[in-house]
Amino acid sequence: MTEALSERALNRATLARQYLLERAPVRAIDAIGQLGGMQSQAPLAPYVGLWTRLRDFAPGELATLTEDRQAVRLQLMRNTVHLVRARDALDWSALFTPLRTAEFNANFRAGTAGADLSALLDEAGRLLAERPRSRAELGRLLAERWPQAEPRALGYAVTLHLMLCQVPPRGVWGKGGAATWAPLADWLGAPTGSEPTDASVDALVDALVLRYLGAFGPASVADVQTWSGLTRLREVLERLPVRTFRGHAGQALYDLPDAPRPAEDTPAPPRFLPEYDNLLLSHSDRTRVIPHAQPVPLPPGNGAAGGTFLIDGRWHGTWQLRGQELRIRPFGELRPADFDALLAEAAGLCAFIAPQAAPDVIVDHS
């Protein structure tokens, strides 16, 4: 008989793989690999995401990885910007070409009417060979040749068709800057490969799905597809050497045979998450971490100034740093022990993101 897993057991299994039951003594580059990349729409969010997961993490570690091109930010899963290891960027980028093409066709094709796409991309490649450029700059320069097209649409045509990455100083702690793009292979010093074969694509998709299970499992087909944005993954899971479980609603769940699945009564300490943290975004059925109907906030900005927090492993409120205040807003009353542990964790968060400011911590129950 297929073993059943409760909602709480799923919660503890995912928290263990996310390094959220206890901070892990691993390097940042290894954590990024274990997590299957980190959502990085807000470019500084991964710094908070690593601080909350790792022992003795300092911002300079990730800043160095970014500047030394060992980690890179580019559009991947769900066609959103992720921070991944350089090798993963090169392996995975082509898998998400259909997502980028679909977005272009749905939102920007009309704005490029009259421009030959092949010629447009050739010209963009020449411009990007000179130096990294922002999407707005690309659109403006390309509009000089194709004045009948919309500059914004031209810029998106480039970033949605060429394999590009966002480059420093964006994503570097203490620096920051506008999003500028460079050809991925050139930036990483990798040879431009030939078109992948069906067999090599299958192997890369298999590896991607296994990486997801190692970071977020046990999970359903719908969960993997929600995280990745890819489709037709049932046939992938059915050919992989995975173990099958039954979820609380009777759904089939897949997992790595030897992945950690702690007891459901394993303690889960309070944890602060950054904006866009993948823990809250990577399942179709999010009830293992979201016990209510609150929408996950997706604010604009550079990150490291707000996010969400967990109590007993589940999303229980939001936090925001403004000036001299770190304001915590729980969704409900906190038990005294949870309240004390959350304040202790908040002190560590303040020391990490604002060591000179020493902000006051305010818990707002309103």
Side-chain angles (χ1 to χ4, degrees):
M1 179 179 293
T2 303
E3 181 181 348
L5 295 174
S6 68
E7 199 171 86
R8 190 174 177 86
L10 292 177
N11 172 273
R12 292 312 195 252
T14 299
L15 293 181
R17 299 161 205 211
Q18 289 283 311
Y19 302 139
L20 290 169
L21 290 180
E22 55 182 334
R23 286 182 166 90
V26 302
R27 301 182 305 160
I29 192 67
D30 296 327
I32 292 166
Q34 161 62 26
L35 297 170
M38 303 182 74
Q39 181 90 8
S40 192
Q41 292 285 96
L44 299 183
Y47 289 85
V48 176
L50 290 172
W51 167 80
T52 207
R53 290 171 164 91
L54 304 183
R55 295 184 196 171
D56 305 318
F57 172 73
E61 184 180 1
L62 178 54
T64 298
L65 292 173
T66 302
E67 294 181 316
D68 289 351
R69 310 186 188 193
Q70 297 180 61
V72 63
R73 299 173 57 255
L74 71 163
Q75 289 180 228
L76 289 172
M77 286 71 74
R78 306 185 298 280
N79 203 24
T80 56
V81 177
H82 276 69
L83 172 77
V84 297
R85 301 179 305 187
R87 181 68 260 167
D88 290 335
L90 294 167
D91 285 345
W92 294 349
S93 184
L95 299 180
F96 298 94
T97 297
L99 297 186
R100 295 191 291 267
T101 301
E103 181 176 343
F104 170 75
N105 289 336
N107 299 309
F108 302 106
R109 177 178 288 278
T112 62
D116 178 78
L117 184 59
S118 178
L120 169 67
L121 297 180
D122 285 346
E123 178 64 11
R126 184 188 68 78
L127 292 170
L128 289 166
E130 295 175 352
R131 60 180 174 83
R133 298 181 187 271
S134 70
R135 188 183 279 136
E137 182 184 14
L138 286 166
R140 176 178 56 80
L141 293 172
L142 293 168
E144 294 175 2
R145 181 169 171 182
W146 290 280
Q148 75 280 19
E150 299 172 7
R152 180 171 178 269
L154 292 173
Y156 272 95
V158 175
T159 59
L160 292 173
H161 282 91
L162 299 182
M163 292 187 188
L164 307 177
C165 59
Q166 292 186 10
V167 302
R170 191 166 180 84
V172 176
W173 191 267
K175 295 182 180 179
T180 57
W181 302 79
L184 176 64
D186 291 349
W187 181 254
L188 296 179
T192 302
S194 58
E195 287 295 314
T197 64
D198 289 344
S200 65
V201 169
D202 285 348
L204 290 172
V205 172
D206 289 357
L208 181 77
V209 170
L210 292 172
R211 187 78 65 82
Y212 170 82
L213 294 178
F216 297 99
S220 68
V221 173
D223 291 330
V224 191
Q225 294 184 161
T226 294
W227 170 76
S228 65
L230 303 178
T231 57
R232 300 182 63 184
L233 295 184
R234 181 177 300 281
E235 60 194 59
V236 175
L237 283 159
E238 289 178 350
R239 71 175 177 241
L240 290 173
V242 295
R243 185 175 173 187
T244 304
F245 295 89
R246 188 175 72 256
H248 58 91
Q251 71 275 34
L253 301 173
Y254 302 86
D255 202 11
L256 305 182
D258 299 323
R261 286 179 288 274
E264 62 179 41
D265 59 352
T266 301
R271 289 289 185 257
F272 286 92
L273 302 177
E275 300 100 319
Y276 296 85
D277 195 279
N278 267 338
L279 178 75
L280 302 182
L281 298 171
S282 298
H283 296 90
S284 175
D285 178 359
R286 300 175 176 177
T287 55
R288 73 180 69 190
V289 290
I290 302 179
H292 43 67
Q294 295 278 351
V296 179
L298 302 174
N302 288 331
T308 59
F309 66 88
L310 307 177
I311 295 292
D312 193 30
R314 308 182 87 186
W315 179 26
H316 199 80
T318 61
W319 65 272
Q320 187 171 51
L321 177 68
R322 282 187 177 175
Q324 292 295 116
E325 292 183 352
L326 178 73
R327 190 169 291 273
I328 299 171
R329 294 184 172 89
F331 294 142
E333 289 296 320
L334 297 170
R335 298 179 305 171
D338 290 333
F339 184 87
D340 293 343
L342 185 66
L343 289 183
E345 190 73 4
L349 177 65
C350 291
F352 178 76
I353 60 177
Q356 307 304 320
D360 296 324
V361 177
I362 299 172
V363 180
D364 185 356
H365 289 285
S366 59

